[in-house]
């Protein structure tokens, strides 16, 4: 499932990385959900779906509803996968019978690989972890350690039925129409209601950009971007709070809310 919004300049590299997967193409389909029409030669199993919504969350909901495969791996338009991605995800998720898989990432900045001392995932996240429903096997201390590793949509794979059977989640994704915090939403929901594994394999290339779209961005736009991010995070936290049954889940959501607090201070000051 490849999601795209406006950024036509990235989508070809993302799809090139999907085409380069070392798994038979008859074993996977490619669904692109974007707000612009497009085409890509070389993938006969590709469907391009155009939507009006701006946010990432409804694109993911549409992708899960349209998919026919057993497992859905998400790829954002400016990231890429390494060639082993789909083969490893397929084998692990079938063998381990888990609902949610996360792999570590190689970080780049505007397509340039960052030096080893800035590859935080490779340095801090090279461990295996398995967490059962209701955060079983992961107290809050272990969640803290996992949290700094388990994020980013392009490193997430989810069993399709696990998402579609949860109509509250699908409805929220559609009506939320947000971009920020979607990976947090999917991850915490999986910790609470499914079985999660984190694998110490770098299978995703995470391409980051300047946070505010460029050094020349006006301060007013920077402030609006930060306010939008904070508001979307708060909506995600509110939804997750209604979904928590275990005490650890509630503590985890509170932890994320506090970790997000610097945005709040930046926008509203010490008051």
């Amino acid at each position: 499932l490849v999601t795209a919004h406006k950024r036509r300049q990235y989508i070809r590299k993302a799809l090139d990385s999907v085409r380069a997967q070392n798994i038979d193409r008859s074993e996977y389909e490619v669904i692109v959900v974007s707000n612009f029409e497009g085409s890509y030669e070389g993938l006969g199993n590709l469907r391009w779906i155009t939507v009006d919504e701006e946010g990432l969350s409804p694109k993911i909901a549409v992708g899960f509803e349209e998919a026919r495969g057993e497992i859905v791996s998400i790829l954002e338009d400016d990231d890429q996968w390494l060639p082993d991605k789909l083969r490893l995800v397929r084998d692990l998720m079938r063998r381990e019978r888990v609902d949610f898989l996360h792999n570590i990432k190689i970080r780049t900045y505007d397509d340039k690989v960052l030096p080893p001392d800035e590859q935080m995932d490779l340095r801090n996240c090279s461990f295996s972890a398995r967490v059962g429903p209701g955060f079983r096997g992961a107290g809050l201390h272990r969640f803290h350690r996992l949290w700094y590793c388990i994020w980013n949509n392009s490193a997430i794979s989810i069993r399709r039925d696990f998402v579609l059977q949860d109509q509250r989640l699908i409805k929220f994704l559609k009506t939320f129409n947000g971009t920020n915090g979607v990976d947090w939403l999917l991850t915490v929901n999986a910790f609470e209601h499914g079985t999660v594994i984190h694998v110490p394999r770098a299978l995703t290339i995470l391409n980051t950009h300047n946070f505010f779209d460029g050094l020349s961005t006006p301060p007013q736009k920077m402030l609006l971007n930060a306010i939008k991010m904070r508001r979307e995070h708060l909506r995600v936290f509110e939804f997750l709070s209604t979904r928590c049954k275990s005490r650890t889940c509630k503590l985890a959501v509170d932890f994320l809310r506090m970790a997000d607090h610097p945005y709040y201070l930046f926008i509203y000051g010490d008051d």
Side-chain angles (χ1 to χ4, degrees):
L1 166 57
V2 183
T3 61
H5 183 71
K6 292 184 179 179
R7 302 184 295 193
R8 295 173 183 268
Q9 69 270 31
Y10 298 119
I11 189 70
R12 176 160 292 276
K13 280 190 176 181
L15 291 172
D16 285 346
S17 76
V18 176
R19 183 183 180 185
Q21 294 299 298
N22 56 17
I23 184 176
D24 193 285
R25 289 186 195 162
S26 65
E27 293 196 54
Y28 70 93
E29 62 178 349
V30 184
I31 298 175
V32 179
V33 185
S34 72
N35 72 321
F36 57 86
E37 295 183 0
S39 62
Y40 179 87
E41 296 181 3
L43 281 171
N45 53 349
L46 182 147
R47 284 188 289 152
W48 199 300
I49 301 171
T50 306
V51 296
D52 293 329
E53 290 84 0
E54 291 189 4
L56 173 64
S57 60
K59 295 182 179 69
I60 288 178
V62 168
F64 272 90
E65 290 180 332
E66 292 291 330
R68 295 184 292 258
E70 176 187 2
I71 298 162
V72 176
S73 291
I74 302 170
L75 179 62
E76 294 193 33
D77 53 4
D78 57 338
D79 298 329
Q80 295 97 46
W81 288 335
L82 295 177
D84 280 341
K85 166 81 174 190
L86 292 184
R87 181 182 59 80
L88 189 88
V89 167
R90 176 202 63 188
D91 294 347
L92 276 174
M93 292 190 73
R94 286 180 177 175
R95 185 174 70 242
E96 300 291 336
R97 296 302 303 173
V98 296
D99 302 298
F100 181 106
L101 179 146
H102 183 275
N103 57 263
I104 59 178
K105 306 164 287 290
I106 295 174
R107 294 169 182 257
T108 64
Y109 186 88
D110 287 338
D111 294 320
K112 296 179 181 178
V113 177
L114 295 176
D117 61 333
E118 296 184 43
Q119 296 290 347
M120 292 177 285
D121 292 75
L122 298 178
R123 188 174 66 246
N124 300 325
C125 302
S126 294
F127 60 88
S128 299
R130 182 183 180 112
V131 181
F135 281 76
R136 285 202 303 270
L140 197 59
H141 177 75
R142 192 178 186 202
F143 173 76
H144 286 182
R145 185 188 182 199
L146 280 167
W147 185 252
Y148 294 105
C149 303
I150 300 188
W151 61 275
N152 179 256
N153 295 297
S154 297
I156 289 174
S157 300
I158 315 179
R159 196 170 297 280
R160 178 173 173 265
D161 289 347
F162 174 72
V163 172
L164 290 184
Q165 70 186 2
D166 191 340
Q167 286 303 304
R168 283 186 63 195
L169 177 61
I170 289 291
K171 181 179 179 181
F172 179 78
L173 287 170
K174 289 180 176 179
T175 57
F176 172 43
N177 196 16
T179 295
N180 302 291
V182 177
D183 48 353
W184 296 3
L185 167 69
L186 296 174
T187 301
V188 174
N189 185 74
F191 268 87
E192 180 70 343
H193 301 285
T195 302
V196 176
I197 60 171
H198 167 67
V199 295
R201 286 283 299 273
L203 300 171
T204 299
I205 298 173
L206 171 64
N207 190 29
T208 55
H209 317 278
N210 185 279
F211 183 73
F212 293 117
D213 302 322
L215 296 176
S216 61
T217 302
Q220 295 89 342
K221 185 177 180 181
M222 293 170 62
L223 183 62
L224 290 174
N225 286 342
I227 291 172
K228 180 177 182 290
M229 177 178 290
R230 175 64 179 173
R231 286 175 175 169
E232 290 186 355
H233 285 170
L234 288 175
R235 285 196 62 191
V236 167
F237 299 148
E238 181 182 358
F239 176 76
L240 287 172
S241 295
T242 67
R243 305 280 288 155
C244 284
K245 296 181 180 178
S246 68
R247 180 174 179 272
T248 305
C249 179
K250 293 183 175 68
L251 291 173
V253 173
D254 288 342
F255 162 75
L256 293 175
R257 188 180 282 113
M258 291 182 64
D260 194 49
H261 193 59
Y263 294 117
Y264 185 84
L265 292 178
F266 172 69
I267 295 166
Y268 297 107
D270 292 339
D271 293 334

